[in-house]
Amino acid sequence: MSYWFNPDDRVVLRRIPLATLVAAVGSTASNVGVYYAALRYGRMTIGLMETVVASLIGAVLAGIVYWLLARFTDHAVRWFTVISTIVIGVYGVGPIAAAYEPYMEGAELFTLTTVVATEIMHIVSMVWILWSLLRLAREAR
């Protein structure tokens, strides 16, 4: 099987902060674009700042997890890919559940527009995080 990365590549710890910054900026900017595009189709029941903060937090947490895996385990690239895939699967349930039950006290139920937009945002964030961390923070061959 051919990968766009080698799952056994070594991670360069000093490159993780820059790769995390790229993931955070790319994810946030892209998700703001998704947010504004979604507004053309219906009402969003989350705010723009929630989108920005969640995008930033997701990328920073991913960078921390990647650093910890690279520092303390063998095959960090492989483990990070597996963990990221599981996390995005779990997060995929959140927007759908928020259409039936508020995601926090006082929050509105998600509209269909919000569900679709947040699902797209999760995928966009995962792509930025995986691309940035797995491509920019590994040993060059």
Side-chain angles (χ1 to χ4, degrees):
M1 182 182 298
S2 175
Y3 293 97
W4 51 273
F5 65 92
N6 183 344
D8 295 317
D9 280 350
R10 289 195 45 230
V11 177
V12 180
L13 291 174
R14 64 180 160 66
R15 292 184 187 166
I16 292 176
L18 179 59
T20 300
L21 178 64
V22 170
V25 170
S27 175
T28 301
S30 297
N31 285 340
V32 166
V34 171
Y35 181 88
Y36 281 116
L39 286 175
R40 296 181 60 94
Y41 295 98
R43 192 171 66 82
M44 294 287 286
T45 54
I46 60 171
L48 180 61
M49 285 311 297
E50 287 176 283
T51 300
V52 169
V53 170
S55 298
L56 291 172
I57 288 172
V60 170
L61 288 177
I64 291 168
V65 168
Y66 194 51
W67 186 89
L68 290 169
L69 288 169
R71 178 75 174 89
F72 298 110
T73 68
D74 293 329
H75 310 292
V77 171
R78 184 180 311 249
W79 279 110
F80 185 72
T81 304
V82 169
I83 291 168
S84 298
T85 303
I86 292 168
V87 167
I88 197 66
V90 171
Y91 272 105
V93 175
I96 297 167
Y100 295 98
E101 185 73 31
Y103 69 98
M104 67 180 197
E105 191 172 322
E108 259 186 273
L109 293 178
F110 276 20
T111 62
L112 178 60
T113 302
T114 307
V115 170
V116 172
T118 53
E119 292 289 3
I120 292 170
M121 288 177 195
H122 286 140
I123 293 167
V124 165
S125 289
M126 182 179 176
V127 168
W128 271 104
I129 289 166
L130 287 176
W131 180 84
S132 297
L133 292 172
L134 297 181
R135 293 291 295 208
L136 302 178
R138 66 189 172 113
E139 190 172 79
R141 292 188 181 250

